[in-house]
mmCIF file with all atom_site columns, all heavy atoms in Angstrom:
data_model
loop_
_atom_site.group_PDB
_atom_site.id
_atom_site.type_symbol
_atom_site.label_atom_id
_atom_site.label_alt_id
_atom_site.label_comp_id
_atom_site.label_asym_id
_atom_site.label_entity_id
_atom_site.label_seq_id
_atom_site.pdbx_PDB_ins_code
_atom_site.Cartn_x
_atom_site.Cartn_y
_atom_site.Cartn_z
_atom_site.occupancy
_atom_site.B_iso_or_equiv
_atom_site.pdbx_formal_charge
_atom_site.auth_seq_id
_atom_site.auth_comp_id
_atom_site.auth_asym_id
_atom_site.auth_atom_id
_atom_site.pdbx_PDB_model_num
ATOM 1  N N   . LEU O 1 84 ? 2.978  -2.602 16.436 1.00 0.00 ? 88 LEU O N   1
ATOM 2  C CA  . LEU O 1 84 ? 3.086  -1.686 15.272 1.00 0.00 ? 88 LEU O CA  1
ATOM 3  C C   . LEU O 1 84 ? 3.356  -2.532 14.043 1.00 0.00 ? 88 LEU O C   1
ATOM 4  O O   . LEU O 1 84 ? 4.286  -3.347 14.018 1.00 0.00 ? 88 LEU O O   1
ATOM 5  C CB  . LEU O 1 84 ? 4.217  -0.713 15.511 1.00 0.00 ? 88 LEU O CB  1
ATOM 6  C CG  . LEU O 1 84 ? 4.375  0.375  14.449 1.00 0.00 ? 88 LEU O CG  1
ATOM 7  C CD1 . LEU O 1 84 ? 3.200  1.353  14.509 1.00 0.00 ? 88 LEU O CD1 1
ATOM 8  C CD2 . LEU O 1 84 ? 5.670  1.149  14.626 1.00 0.00 ? 88 LEU O CD2 1
ATOM 9  N N   . CYS O 1 85 ? 2.540  -2.378 13.058 1.00 0.00 ? 89 CYS O N   1
ATOM 10 C CA  . CYS O 1 85 ? 2.679  -3.124 11.772 1.00 0.00 ? 89 CYS O CA  1
ATOM 11 C C   . CYS O 1 85 ? 3.253  -2.158 10.696 1.00 0.00 ? 89 CYS O C   1
ATOM 12 O O   . CYS O 1 85 ? 2.716  -1.132 10.440 1.00 0.00 ? 89 CYS O O   1
ATOM 13 C CB  . CYS O 1 85 ? 1.321  -3.625 11.349 1.00 0.00 ? 89 CYS O CB  1
ATOM 14 S SG  . CYS O 1 85 ? 1.394  -4.600 9.803  1.00 0.00 ? 89 CYS O SG  1
ATOM 15 N N   . VAL O 1 86 ? 4.348  -2.560 10.106 1.00 0.00 ? 90 VAL O N   1
ATOM 16 C CA  . VAL O 1 86 ? 5.022  -1.773 9.067  1.00 0.00 ? 90 VAL O CA  1
ATOM 17 C C   . VAL O 1 86 ? 4.618  -2.302 7.724  1.00 0.00 ? 90 VAL O C   1
ATOM 18 O O   . VAL O 1 86 ? 4.786  -3.496 7.412  1.00 0.00 ? 90 VAL O O   1
ATOM 19 C CB  . VAL O 1 86 ? 6.575  -1.806 9.239  1.00 0.00 ? 90 VAL O CB  1
ATOM 20 C CG1 . VAL O 1 86 ? 7.225  -1.069 8.114  1.00 0.00 ? 90 VAL O CG1 1
ATOM 21 C CG2 . VAL O 1 86 ? 6.974  -1.203 10.587 1.00 0.00 ? 90 VAL O CG2 1
ATOM 22 N N   . VAL O 1 87 ? 4.077  -1.409 6.878  1.00 0.00 ? 91 VAL O N   1
ATOM 23 C CA  . VAL O 1 87 ? 3.649  -1.752 5.528  1.00 0.00 ? 91 VAL O CA  1
ATOM 24 C C   . VAL O 1 87 ? 4.314  -0.871 4.523  1.00 0.00 ? 91 VAL O C   1
ATOM 25 O O   . VAL O 1 87 ? 4.825  0.230  4.875  1.00 0.00 ? 91 VAL O O   1
ATOM 26 C CB  . VAL O 1 87 ? 2.103  -1.701 5.361  1.00 0.00 ? 91 VAL O CB  1
ATOM 27 C CG1 . VAL O 1 87 ? 1.394  -2.730 6.280  1.00 0.00 ? 91 VAL O CG1 1
ATOM 28 C CG2 . VAL O 1 87 ? 1.607  -0.313 5.653  1.00 0.00 ? 91 VAL O CG2 1
ATOM 29 N N   . GLU O 1 88 ? 4.314  -1.249 3.262  1.00 0.00 ? 92 GLU O N   1
ATOM 30 C CA  . GLU O 1 88 ? 4.946  -0.459 2.230  1.00 0.00 ? 92 GLU O CA  1
ATOM 31 C C   . GLU O 1 88 ? 4.100  0.735  1.778  1.00 0.00 ? 92 GLU O C   1
ATOM 32 O O   . GLU O 1 88 ? 4.599  1.801  1.586  1.00 0.00 ? 92 GLU O O   1
ATOM 33 C CB  . GLU O 1 88 ? 5.301  -1.367 0.996  1.00 0.00 ? 92 GLU O CB  1
ATOM 34 C CG  . GLU O 1 88 ? 6.393  -2.355 1.269  1.00 0.00 ? 92 GLU O CG  1
ATOM 35 C CD  . GLU O 1 88 ? 6.727  -3.173 0.049  1.00 0.00 ? 92 GLU O CD  1
ATOM 36 O OE1 . GLU O 1 88 ? 6.462  -2.750 -1.074 1.00 0.00 ? 92 GLU O OE1 1
ATOM 37 O OE2 . GLU O 1 88 ? 7.251  -4.293 0.223  1.00 0.00 ? 92 GLU O OE2 1
ATOM 38 N N   . GLU O 1 89 ? 2.786  0.484  1.545  1.00 0.00 ? 93 GLU O N   1
ATOM 39 C CA  . GLU O 1 89 ? 1.928  1.510  0.971  1.00 0.00 ? 93 GLU O CA  1
ATOM 40 C C   . GLU O 1 89 ? 0.674  1.650  1.799  1.00 0.00 ? 93 GLU O C   1
ATOM 41 O O   . GLU O 1 89 ? 0.263  0.731  2.503  1.00 0.00 ? 93 GLU O O   1
ATOM 42 C CB  . GLU O 1 89 ? 1.571  1.154  -0.474 1.00 0.00 ? 93 GLU O CB  1
ATOM 43 C CG  . GLU O 1 89 ? 2.764  0.996  -1.435 1.00 0.00 ? 93 GLU O CG  1
ATOM 44 C CD  . GLU O 1 89 ? 3.489  2.312  -1.678 1.00 0.00 ? 93 GLU O CD  1
ATOM 45 O OE1 . GLU O 1 89 ? 2.975  3.384  -1.376 1.00 0.00 ? 93 GLU O OE1 1
ATOM 46 O OE2 . GLU O 1 89 ? 4.620  2.226  -2.217 1.00 0.00 ? 93 GLU O OE2 1
ATOM 47 N N   . ALA O 1 90 ? 0.007  2.804  1.677  1.00 0.00 ? 94 ALA O N   1
ATOM 48 C CA  . ALA O 1 90 ? -1.242 3.055  2.390  1.00 0.00 ? 94 ALA O CA  1
ATOM 49 C C   . ALA O 1 90 ? -2.320 2.038  2.036  1.00 0.00 ? 94 ALA O C   1
ATOM 50 O O   . ALA O 1 90 ? -3.123 1.661  2.884  1.00 0.00 ? 94 ALA O O   1
ATOM 51 C CB  . ALA O 1 90 ? -1.736 4.489  2.123  1.00 0.00 ? 94 ALA O CB  1
ATOM 52 N N   . ARG O 1 91 ? -2.357 1.571  0.798  1.00 0.00 ? 95 ARG O N   1
ATOM 53 C CA  . ARG O 1 91 ? -3.382 0.609  0.433  1.00 0.00 ? 95 ARG O CA  1
ATOM 54 C C   . ARG O 1 91 ? -3.165 -0.737 1.192  1.00 0.00 ? 95 ARG O C   1
ATOM 55 O O   . ARG O 1 91 ? -4.121 -1.513 1.358  1.00 0.00 ? 95 ARG O O   1
ATOM 56 C CB  . ARG O 1 91 ? -3.352 0.362  -1.070 1.00 0.00 ? 95 ARG O CB  1
ATOM 57 C CG  . ARG O 1 91 ? -2.067 -0.227 -1.640 1.00 0.00 ? 95 ARG O CG  1
ATOM 58 C CD  . ARG O 1 91 ? -2.133 -0.411 -3.128 1.00 0.00 ? 95 ARG O CD  1
ATOM 59 N NE  . ARG O 1 91 ? -0.840 -0.723 -3.677 1.00 0.00 ? 95 ARG O NE  1
ATOM 60 C CZ  . ARG O 1 91 ? -0.041 0.118  -4.233 1.00 0.00 ? 95 ARG O CZ  1
ATOM 61 N NH1 . ARG O 1 91 ? -0.375 1.382  -4.369 1.00 0.00 ? 95 ARG O NH1 1
ATOM 62 N NH2 . ARG O 1 91 ? 1.166  -0.251 -4.698 1.00 0.00 ? 95 ARG O NH2 1
ATOM 63 N N   . ASP O 1 92 ? -1.984 -1.005 1.700  1.00 0.00 ? 96 ASP O N   1
ATOM 64 C CA  . ASP O 1 92 ? -1.712 -2.184 2.484  1.00 0.00 ? 96 ASP O CA  1
ATOM 65 C C   . ASP O 1 92 ? -2.426 -2.150 3.836  1.00 0.00 ? 96 ASP O C   1
ATOM 66 O O   . ASP O 1 92 ? -2.779 -3.157 4.408  1.00 0.00 ? 96 ASP O O   1
ATOM 67 C CB  . ASP O 1 92 ? -0.207 -2.430 2.665  1.00 0.00 ? 96 ASP O CB  1
ATOM 68 C CG  . ASP O 1 92 ? 0.554  -2.595 1.336  1.00 0.00 ? 96 ASP O CG  1
ATOM 69 O OD1 . ASP O 1 92 ? -0.086 -3.074 0.385  1.00 0.00 ? 96 ASP O OD1 1
ATOM 70 O OD2 . ASP O 1 92 ? 1.718  -2.242 1.281  1.00 0.00 ? 96 ASP O OD2 1
#
Side-chain angles (χ1 to χ4, degrees):
L88 186 69
C89 181
V90 175
V91 296
E92 290 181 23
E93 301 292 347
R95 62 181 171 261
D96 299 331

